[in-house]
Amino acid sequence: MAVPIAVLDCDLLLYGRGHRTLDRFKLEDVTDEYLVSTYGFPRQFICYLVDLLGATLSRPTQRSRAISPETQILAALGFYTSGSFQTRMGDAIGISQASMSRCVANVTEALVERASQFIHFPEDEATVQTLKDDFYGLAGMPGVLGVVDCIHVAIKAPNAEDLSYVNRKGLHSLNCLMVCDSRGVLLSAETHWPGSLPDCTVLEQAALTSQFETKLRKDGWLLGDSSFLLRTWLMTPLPIPETPAEYRYNMAHSATHNVIERTFRTIRSRFRCLDGSKGTLQYSPEKSSHIILACCVLHNISLEHGLDVWSSPATGHVEQPEEEYEQMESVDSEACRVRQELLLTHFS
């Protein structure tokens, strides 16, 4: 009796062509060097992800040969770190490009569901004080709870009529607002903003602003560059420093804020699906936003596992053009007073 081709799994069609079957690929059968070179992460990290996401990825299925959580995770890591669905990646674990795409979708959603578990500001006083002490140790800037900036990630055009994702360089992108600590750990990540929005507008509308204004911390602040408005909880550099104290403040501000620029470079280097070298993310803005957030979660998990953000080897030149923006300066008198007090107390 003939079996309609539509009911066959596309992976099963590959068997007999030299591809490994799904149950033959085992982590223990390959070297650590192979895992790092092919999937970007060592064995211990991959095993942790299998434990973390396994239950979510083992959903009931009608298929007799459902793809294992281990294989799904390897497929997703392969895409995140290479930016490609090339057959070579699927061949390595015995699945088709179509199944690679499904695996990436499944793992991405599982990671996004856990974003708040791995990306958040510390709450207890001891950890907050350690956060500020670590920042102070960088360049002598006191009271810093995090550094904030935006990064654009290129995406395919949603449709010809929607210009909201066209940035100032004429490219379609998502403008992602992020905050990190002195080690590069992300404390906040909002990855869904249209690329046409300038950084100051993104921050104005972001949940981050609501978080800081409703739970205003009078003993600390974020650091942002001149694309943002000065606020009582967000210290920006002085546009035209004149006194020695103002120069010292700006120098300390710049040296401290540089942490997030280094973090962005590392994330793009580790997760090549975001760096544009393989083209734009070929997904809707919503799905692209989720992929970016999933990479942010993996970035933080990797730091928890000792994969140092600064020692991660670059896999090639990653170019992130500087965004042009107008110098922003606040007319908030209270924010100006807070910055002036900081200048007099710590930099005079």
Side-chain angles (χ1 to χ4, degrees):
M1 177 179 179
V3 179
I5 190 67
V7 305
L8 294 177
D9 189 300
C10 56
D11 294 320
L12 299 182
L13 296 177
L14 296 175
Y15 299 146
R17 301 183 189 175
H19 293 260
R20 299 179 181 181
T21 58
L22 299 184
D23 56 358
R24 283 179 55 190
F25 184 89
K26 302 293 182 183
L27 282 177
E28 57 267 23
D29 293 340
V30 295
T31 65
D32 291 332
E33 292 76 13
Y34 173 82
L35 291 173
V36 172
S37 65
T38 307
Y39 305 106
F41 291 96
R43 187 185 314 276
Q44 182 180 8
F45 181 88
I46 295 171
C47 290
Y48 173 82
L49 291 181
V50 172
D51 290 339
L52 177 70
L53 307 178
T56 302
L57 299 175
S58 300
R59 295 187 177 95
T61 176
Q62 297 294 325
R63 296 165 54 193
S64 61
R65 296 187 66 86
I67 302 176
S68 70
E70 181 180 278
T71 300
Q72 292 184 61
I73 287 168
L74 289 173
L77 291 179
F79 169 72
Y80 297 146
T81 58
S82 73
S84 173
F85 282 131
Q86 293 300 314
T87 304
R88 178 187 63 82
M89 187 67 65
D91 286 352
I93 49 180
I95 63 175
S96 65
Q97 291 188 35
S99 291
M100 280 278 295
S101 182
R102 290 199 301 271
C103 290
V104 170
N106 292 342
V107 174
T108 294
E109 292 311 306
L111 288 168
V112 167
E113 289 173 4
R114 291 161 176 78
S116 61
Q117 176 183 345
F118 294 100
I119 303 175
H120 56 81
F121 283 92
E123 295 292 340
D124 63 282
E125 292 185 9
T127 306
V128 170
Q129 186 59 50
T130 299
L131 181 66
K132 292 191 287 187
D133 290 345
D134 290 344
F135 271 120
Y136 186 79
L138 293 179
M141 180 69 76
V144 180
L145 300 170
V147 290
V148 59
D149 207 348
C150 287
I151 183 172
H152 284 258
V153 176
I155 63 171
K156 73 173 183 179
N159 56 64
E161 291 75 28
D162 189 352
L163 300 180
S164 64
Y165 292 92
V166 179
N167 61 32
R168 296 183 65 165
K169 295 184 179 296
L171 305 174
H172 290 82
S173 67
L174 290 169
N175 195 3
C176 306
L177 180 74
M178 301 187 193
V179 180
C180 75
D181 71 8
S182 63
R183 295 192 303 119
V185 175
L186 296 174
L187 306 175
S188 177
E190 299 185 34
T191 60
H192 61 284
W193 297 102
S196 65
L197 294 181
D199 295 357
C200 60
T201 303
V202 168
L203 180 62
E204 181 181 340
Q205 300 178 10
L208 179 68
T209 293
S210 177
Q211 180 181 359
F212 268 79
E213 292 190 344
T214 57
K215 300 180 181 178
L216 190 58
R217 304 187 185 192
K218 298 183 181 300
D219 59 342
W221 37 71
L222 302 178
L223 295 188
D225 63 22
S226 298
S227 63
F228 299 112
L229 286 171
L230 177 71
R231 301 168 184 260
T232 55
W233 49 269
L234 176 65
M235 294 293 102
T236 60
L238 289 146
I240 307 176
E242 297 177 349
T243 68
E246 290 175 346
Y247 276 102
R248 285 191 289 268
Y249 166 85
N250 271 13
M251 289 178 64
H253 188 291
S254 177
T256 307
H257 189 268
N258 186 52
V259 171
I260 197 162
E261 296 167 10
R262 295 167 68 190
T263 300
F264 286 162
R265 288 196 296 270
T266 299
I267 291 173
R268 283 181 173 272
S269 177
R270 177 171 280 163
F271 302 107
R272 299 308 295 269
C273 68
L274 307 181
D275 76 359
S277 65
K278 300 291 184 180
T280 62
L281 282 175
Q282 297 296 303
Y283 297 91
S284 68
E286 181 182 8
K287 289 184 178 179
S288 295
S289 170
H290 285 185
I291 288 173
I292 301 166
L293 185 56
C295 290
C296 290
V297 173
L298 289 172
H299 168 79
N300 276 10
I301 296 175
S302 69
L303 290 182
E304 284 188 5
H305 282 74
L307 303 178
D308 189 358
V309 65
W310 309 134
S311 64
S312 176
T315 53
H317 177 65
V318 178
E319 182 179 356
Q320 167 67 355
E322 290 292 326
E323 285 291 312
E324 297 177 0
Y325 53 78
E326 297 179 4
Q327 293 282 322
M328 305 291 294
E329 188 58 12
S330 178
V331 294
D332 184 336
S333 59
E334 178 62 16
C336 292
R337 184 196 66 77
V338 171
R339 186 171 63 184
Q340 187 62 29
E341 184 178 329
L342 175 60
L343 276 163
L344 294 174
T345 304
H346 293 278
F347 296 97
S348 295

